[in-house]
Amino acid sequence: MSAALAQSAAAAKAWLMDAAFPLWADKGFDPHTGLFHEKLNADLSAAPGPRRVRVQARQVYCFALAGRMGWSGPWRERVQAGFATLNGAARAEGGAVGHLLDVRGRLPDARRDLYDQAFALFACAHAAPVAPEAAKRAHEIMDFVDHAWKSPKGGYAEGEVGSALPRRQNPHMHLFEAALALHDATSAPRWRSLSLHIAGLFNAHFFDAEYGVLREFFEADWKPSVAKGTLLEPGHHLEWVWLQARWRDASGDDTRQIAAQLYDYAEANGINAHGVVVDETLLGGGMVSARARLWPQTERLKAALARYEDGAVSADVVVNAYDKLALYLATPTPGLWWDRMNEDGSFVDEPAPASSFYHIAVALDELIRVAEA
C-alpha cells in the first residue's frame, strides 16, 4: 500500500468524522421541522429558500454512512428523520415524492421528477437498516415510476419538472445506482431487473462506441439529441467508470474496456489548466468553459480508485485525484466546501450546498475502503 494513499485516506476519514458529520448533523439540520437545510453560509447559518426533496434523500445516505463508519453522533436520528420526510411530508400523488418543501416542511411543489425518485429510492436502500418501512416505500415509489413513466422505447419519462425532450442519461444513471443499492440491501429481484434494464440502455444508447464517449442528451427514440447531442460531461464519464466496476461485481460482466475508454476520454479532454475536471466538453473536441464544479472531482477520485483496483493506474493517480478534490474542501470552516471554481482557479464565494455532501461522502468512503482493504 502506498504511504501517500494511506495518508490521503486518513485525512479523508478525519475530515468526515471530525468536521463534516458533526457540522451537518448540527448546523445542517432543523430539529423543529425535521428537515435538512439546503445550504449553509460561511457563518454556519442556513441560507433561505425551499428544500429540494432530493437533498433530503441524499442526506439520508450521508448519515447512514456515518453510522457504518462508527461515528458516535446522532446519525440514526438523522437517517430516521430524513426517511420520515420521504415517507410523509414529501409524499406526492400516486406514492411518488414531490419536488420542493418549504421551510415549514410543507410540499408547495408536488411535481414528480425521475431524478428525485431515483434519490428517494437510493435513500430507502440506505435507510433500510434503521427504518423498517424503507423497503416497502421503495416499492411504492417504483410502482409509480413503472406505471406512469415506463417508456416503450426503453427507460423512463422524466416527469413533470423538466421538458419531455431531450431525454437524459443522468436520471437513469442515478436510478441504476439506486437499483444496485436496493438489491444489495434487500436482495429483491425487482432491483436486479431494473439494474439489468438500465445496463442495457447504457450499452445500447448511452455509450457511443464509435467515439468512446458517454452521450448525455437524446431524442425520444434514444438517438443523440439534434439540439444538444454534442455536449458531454466528463464528470459523468468518470461516474460511469465507477458504476461499471460495481456492475461487474454484481453481474460478472467484463466492463473494463468500456470503463477504460470513458476514463481516458475524461482525462484527455476534461482537465483544465488547474488540473481539475471541467463541467462540459464538446464531442468534436474542446471545453465549453474551464469552470469546474466540485462534484466532478469526486467522480474522478471514484474512477481513479476503480482503475487502481483493476491495476490500470498507480496509487499516485489516486492521490492526485484526492488532492484536487481537497482544494474544494480547504475552506476556513472545516466541514464546509467550495462548490464552483472559476476559470482563473479562484472559488465562487457562496453558501455550501448540502447536495454536494453525497458526492463527497461516496468518494471519500471509497478511498477509505480501498486504503483499508
Side-chain angles (χ1 to χ4, degrees):
M1 172 61 65
S2 159
L5 181 59
Q7 290 170 1
S8 296
K13 190 170 187 177
W15 183 86
L16 284 171
M17 300 288 275
D18 300 337
F21 289 147
L23 189 155
W24 287 91
D26 179 17
K27 301 298 184 180
F29 181 75
D30 181 354
H32 302 293
T33 62
L35 298 180
F36 297 103
H37 294 308
E38 183 77 14
K39 299 177 181 180
L40 288 180
N41 295 310
D43 66 0
L44 300 183
S45 63
R51 275 68 165 142
R52 288 176 292 173
V53 170
R54 70 184 61 168
V55 171
Q56 306 302 307
R58 287 181 175 194
Q59 296 296 73
V60 168
Y61 163 78
C62 292
F63 287 104
L65 172 62
R68 292 197 300 274
M69 290 183 66
W71 183 59
S72 60
W75 66 268
R76 183 183 300 269
E77 293 86 345
R78 298 297 177 264
V79 170
Q80 291 171 334
F83 176 72
T85 297
L86 300 176
N87 201 30
R91 182 184 292 270
E93 185 178 356
V97 296
H99 186 53
L100 293 175
L101 296 151
D102 65 19
V103 295
R104 296 183 180 180
R106 299 172 300 192
L107 189 69
D109 187 346
R111 290 177 298 169
R112 296 158 298 185
D113 177 76
L114 183 61
Y115 194 96
D116 294 334
Q117 311 313 313
F119 275 103
L121 290 168
F122 186 69
C124 287
H126 292 282
V130 297
E133 293 295 309
K136 178 182 177 182
R137 181 72 175 114
H139 283 291
E140 183 180 29
I141 292 167
M142 197 64 211
D143 285 346
F144 171 83
V145 172
D146 276 332
H147 175 75
W149 294 340
K150 196 165 189 177
S151 169
K153 299 290 186 179
Y156 296 90
E158 295 191 30
E160 302 158 340
V161 174
S163 59
L165 293 175
R167 302 183 78 177
R168 298 178 298 158
Q169 73 80 25
N170 188 18
H172 291 82
M173 175 182 70
H174 287 297
L175 197 58
F176 184 62
E177 181 182 31
L180 291 172
L182 280 162
H183 190 263
D184 285 346
T186 70
S187 299
R190 179 181 206 168
W191 309 120
R192 170 72 169 177
S193 296
L194 179 58
S195 302
L196 282 165
H197 178 63
I198 299 177
L201 281 178
F202 175 90
N203 291 327
H205 303 297
F206 301 165
F207 180 69
D208 187 326
E210 179 181 356
Y211 295 99
V213 300
L214 176 74
R215 296 281 192 165
E216 290 286 340
F217 301 104
F218 303 87
E219 302 296 334
D221 59 359
W222 290 115
K223 290 179 181 177
S225 167
V226 173
K228 302 180 70 174
T230 60
L231 286 174
L232 306 177
E233 297 194 25
H236 286 156
H237 282 68
L238 296 165
E239 196 161 3
W240 270 107
V241 170
W242 180 72
L243 286 169
Q244 288 292 314
R246 289 207 60 203
W247 180 238
R248 188 178 73 216
D249 291 342
S251 68
D253 292 352
D254 189 351
T255 61
R256 286 172 292 189
Q257 182 176 353
I258 289 176
Q261 290 177 274
L262 293 170
Y263 185 80
D264 290 347
Y265 172 84
E267 288 291 328
N269 298 278
I271 309 301
N272 69 14
H274 306 289
V276 297
V277 186
V278 301
D279 297 339
E280 290 183 317
T281 57
L282 295 169
L283 179 64
M287 301 175 185
V288 175
S289 81
R291 290 173 297 187
R293 289 194 61 197
L294 182 156
W295 73 262
Q297 319 318 316
T298 68
E299 303 310 329
R300 188 187 194 188
L301 177 55
K302 288 159 58 181
L305 286 160
R307 301 293 288 149
Y308 173 73
E309 289 193 295
D310 283 345
V313 303
S314 69
D316 289 343
V317 172
V318 176
V319 172
N320 177 67
Y322 171 76
D323 287 345
K324 296 304 182 184
L325 170 58
L327 296 174
Y328 291 74
L329 308 184
T331 62
T333 302
L336 295 182
W337 41 81
W338 308 111
D339 189 61
R340 294 186 292 167
M341 181 187 284
N342 295 309
E343 294 192 24
D344 65 1
S346 64
F347 288 104
V348 178
D349 188 7
E350 61 186 346
S355 58
S356 296
F357 197 10
Y358 144 81
H359 288 287
I360 300 166
V362 176
L364 298 188
D365 181 45
E366 277 293 277
L367 174 61
I368 294 161
R369 178 188 66 79
V370 171
E372 294 182 351

